Amino acid sequence: MSYLELVNFNKKFGQTEVLKGIDLKVEKGEVVTVIGSSGSGKTTLLRCINFLERPDSGRMSLDGEILFDGDGIKNEKETELREKRLNFGLVFQSFNLFPQYNVIKNVTLAPTLLLGTEVKLLKKSLKAEGLQGKEIKERIKQYKEKRKTEIENDGIKLLEKTGLTEKAKAFPCELSGGQQQRVAIARALALKPKVLCFDEPTSALDPELTGEVLKVIKSLKGDDRTMIIVTHEMGFAKGVSDKVVFMSGGVIEEEGTPEEIFDNPKSAKLKAFLLNIGDKEGKESV
Amino acid sequence: MNNFWSVTASLLEGFWVTCAIFAVTLVLALPLGLIIAFGAMSSFKPVKAVVKVFIWVIRGTPLMLQLLVVYYGPALIFHWDLMPRFIATIVAFVINYACYFAEIYRGGIESISKGQREAGQVLGMTKTQIFFKVILLQVVKRIVPPMSNEIITLVKDTSLARIILVEELLKAAQEFTAWGLMWPLFYTGVFYLLFVGILTLVFRGIEKKLDYFRS
């Protein structure tokens, strides 16, 4: 069984079928890019994986655990949904940083809020151990302080990794698009997701800023980090992927290694897509 | 000069009532407006429909009419005792202003991009956390200008309470016309202008304070 498995994902918006029986397997530590023209269902697929949309049918399992099966998700409690969501991270096309917080707070906010849940669990287990009220309080205080420092340090490390150390105290509105997207990546990493997803991370950026973001994403490869990247940057897809998936009209038309997809396309649709993109890129460079 | 001081003293008494109507209305209508706004955005259709009709009625009829209905209505329809005039004023004002505030809140909340909420969701936040930690301050920043408009209008609307004989600033001044004095009426303008002037400064301060981010 693969690390992440999607079986027969279907999704309709009204009458429009956006996903038609998607099957996808991703191994641990693998980088999978999803390419295809606009409207082919790439973004919807990513949103379904992140529980932002509910597939009408299908099954998803991660690391042997079934996260979603058929329409069982409909009666799910918010807490369960949140727990499942935390397996995944998502970097949006439009960054969606929290404008009222500075860079470091953007990165540490979610882990800090999750600390509340951790403390609740700890309290329960301490009570079960039969500790006294005063001692419980003391232990929780220690735990909180320890975790807060850890979260802060993690945040600082992540900013180093994304090259934003000097911008820690800056607000999103003071940053370039590329910097904002790098903060968004650090923010997603802060929760240590098992699978990190990118939804066209450079599509909202000026061409001269895409490089710095792609470089950061590339640097994340390895360390057993599983990533699914929806992108229009073919050169990047070729360079970073272990596997490339080509989507068209809500189905996976073709998948394979970057060499297979880019150098030896089999289906007519993929050939046409690559030709079309090549033309555009050619024209742009002129 | 003696005249001037006695008029001033009398107007100050009225002004105190004006301030009380203003403050109590504000304190109650601000949170009530939020509840009404959530009702207007409810995904439960019947609640949404009822709240929308309610807002339509309250915003669609004069505040003066609402004051008269609240004050005389219970007595004329159910033969209850008249309630204190000040209480009637507060009830009418709070309902009226809460509806206006609700529409401003709703506009503010709906103007925040879906992406902000989704970013919170994928980061494992609860709905409450998303509202209070992500959405709220952005909404506050956006609604300061329309809210200050509405709150400044409230300062002057307090004079409507005069219609059910509440002893507020304008009524205090009007009583002097019986003595043949016109200037106390103009004098009330000084009170209103000062009050609104201070509010304007406060709102400018809030806007400045929230100027550090853009959303």
Side-chain angles (χ1 to χ4, degrees):
Chain A
M1 200 176 197
S2 300
Y3 190 57
L4 174 70
E5 270 195 34
L6 312 186
V7 183
N8 198 22
F9 261 41
N10 289 287
K11 176 72 187 171
K12 262 191 205 170
F13 288 118
Q15 291 300 308
T16 329
E17 281 186 80
V18 187
L19 299 180
K20 300 178 209 163
I22 299 282
D23 295 305
L24 182 68
K25 286 181 183 177
V26 181
E27 301 302 332
K28 192 165 186 178
E30 205 174 33
V31 177
V32 175
T33 52
V34 183
I35 59 171
S37 45
S38 304
S40 58
K42 310 179 299 281
T43 294
T44 306
L45 176 65
L46 218 52
R47 289 173 60 85
C48 283
I49 294 175
N50 281 276
F51 294 86
L52 287 176
E53 304 284 352
R54 290 163 182 208
D56 300 322
S57 63
R59 201 175 73 227
M60 174 160 79
S61 65
L62 177 69
D63 210 1
E65 186 196 351
I66 292 182
L67 295 183
F68 169 75
D69 195 355
D71 43 20
I73 200 172
K74 277 180 187 137
N75 305 316
E76 204 162 39
K77 278 194 207 139
E78 204 208 332
T79 15
E80 286 173 37
L81 189 63
R82 273 195 304 126
E83 261 169 40
K84 290 180 181 177
R85 236 181 219 141
L86 281 172
N87 289 307
F88 303 92
L90 177 61
V91 174
F92 298 86
Q93 182 179 341
S94 48
F95 331 136
N96 294 338
L97 293 182
F98 305 132
Q100 70 268 45
Y101 297 124
N102 64 21
V103 166
I104 186 77
K105 185 88 194 275
N106 260 282
V107 176
T108 56
L109 179 68
T112 312
L113 291 177
L114 280 176
L115 186 55
T117 326
E118 289 174 34
V119 164
K120 252 184 224 160
L121 287 175
L122 178 70
K123 206 173 196 172
K124 244 187 208 162
S125 72
L126 287 179
K127 261 187 194 155
E129 277 175 38
L131 288 179
Q132 294 298 311
K134 209 173 164 189
E135 200 168 342
I136 292 181
K137 250 186 201 163
E138 191 56 37
R139 289 273 285 275
I140 284 178
K141 205 178 135 199
Q142 281 172 6
Y143 179 76
K144 261 189 180 166
E145 270 164 26
K146 190 188 99 199
R147 282 291 292 133
K148 272 188 184 155
T149 338
E150 278 173 11
I151 290 170
E152 190 74 20
N153 290 340
D154 279 356
I156 292 170
K157 263 185 219 149
L158 285 168
L159 291 187
E160 264 168 40
K161 200 168 199 164
T162 46
L164 289 160
T165 312
E166 279 135 54
K167 297 288 179 190
K169 299 280 180 216
F171 285 89
C173 62
E174 300 162 342
L175 302 177
S176 73
Q179 289 167 333
Q180 289 193 46
Q181 192 59 301
R182 277 145 59 197
V183 178
I185 294 170
R187 182 175 72 171
L189 286 170
L191 289 174
K192 305 185 175 74
K194 290 181 179 163
V195 179
L196 184 54
C197 303
F198 295 84
D199 183 14
E200 302 187 21
T202 58
S203 293
L205 295 177
D206 293 336
E208 71 267 25
L209 297 177
T210 57
E212 62 185 61
V213 172
L214 296 179
K215 212 168 100 189
V216 167
I217 300 176
K218 227 174 217 170
S219 76
L220 299 178
K221 197 179 150 113
D223 312 341
D224 253 358
R225 194 168 276 120
T226 314
M227 299 198 274
I228 303 175
I229 308 168
V230 169
T231 183
H232 288 296
E233 300 283 333
M234 294 306 141
F236 170 68
K238 205 170 180 175
V240 79
S241 323
D242 298 305
K243 179 156 99 180
V244 182
V245 171
F246 170 65
M247 278 182 77
S248 171
V251 297
I252 292 182
E253 191 73 28
E254 198 169 328
E255 60 178 281
T257 63
E259 292 75 30
E260 285 169 340
I261 293 290
F262 291 107
D263 303 335
N264 267 317
K266 289 186 191 71
S267 73
K269 278 182 187 163
L270 176 56
K271 279 179 195 164
F273 173 76
L274 291 174
L275 210 63
N276 200 355
I277 288 235
D279 277 358
K280 265 187 212 148
E281 277 176 1
K283 266 178 208 148
E284 269 164 21
S285 63
V286 172
Chain B
M1 209 56 214
N2 217 351
N3 226 345
F4 176 77
W5 291 119
S6 70
V7 168
T8 302
S10 162
L11 291 195
L12 271 175
E13 241 169 76
F15 185 60
W16 163 243
V17 176
T18 291
C19 288
I21 298 173
F22 173 84
V24 177
T25 300
L26 205 55
V27 166
L28 296 177
L30 286 172
L32 181 62
L34 194 58
I35 294 169
I36 297 177
F38 283 131
M41 291 185 293
S42 170
S43 49
F44 186 55
K45 291 265 165 63
V47 169
K48 186 173 172 163
V50 168
V51 172
K52 291 252 170 184
V53 169
F54 183 72
I55 292 177
W56 171 60
V57 170
I58 297 296
R59 293 202 309 168
T61 55
L63 175 53
M64 197 187 281
L65 172 62
Q66 291 161 21
L67 265 168
L68 292 170
V69 168
V70 169
Y71 185 57
Y72 295 113
L76 293 178
I77 300 170
F78 306 111
H79 305 292
W80 295 352
D81 291 341
L82 281 172
M83 68 180 104
R85 298 169 196 280
F86 184 78
I87 302 291
T89 308
I90 293 300
V91 170
F93 271 69
V94 166
I95 292 174
N96 184 278
Y97 271 85
C99 284
Y100 280 96
F101 291 162
E103 285 297 279
I104 295 176
Y105 293 154
R106 187 177 64 82
I109 292 171
E110 287 177 353
S111 76
I112 305 297
S113 82
K114 209 175 72 184
Q116 287 290 309
R117 189 165 278 117
E118 287 179 352
Q121 283 175 340
V122 294
L123 290 168
M125 295 185 198
T126 64
K127 278 184 186 160
T128 328
Q129 287 172 340
I130 292 174
F131 182 75
F132 285 103
K133 299 285 179 182
V134 176
I135 309 286
L136 187 61
L137 195 61
Q138 299 185 51
V139 172
V140 170
K141 182 183 166 86
R142 282 186 199 193
I143 65 174
V144 170
M147 285 299 278
S148 52
N149 248 339
E150 213 48 60
I151 290 170
I152 284 170
T153 303
L154 173 60
V155 174
K156 294 160 293 165
D157 271 1
T158 53
S159 62
L160 288 172
R162 194 236 159 281
I163 203 69
I164 54 168
L165 303 178
V166 174
E167 302 276 344
E168 47 70 54
L169 180 56
L170 202 66
K171 182 159 182 299
Q174 202 189 347
E175 264 151 27
F176 290 104
T177 56
W179 305 9
L181 292 181
M182 178 67 184
W183 61 267
L185 280 176
F186 290 111
Y187 191 12
T188 62
V190 176
F191 288 85
Y192 288 119
L193 283 170
L194 270 177
F195 197 167
V196 169
I198 292 168
L199 281 178
T200 307
L201 290 178
V202 168
F203 286 122
R204 194 180 298 166
I206 296 175
E207 276 185 46
K208 257 212 173 118
K209 195 140 209 187
L210 292 174
D211 209 27
Y212 71 92
F213 74 89
R214 295 201 198 311
S215 67

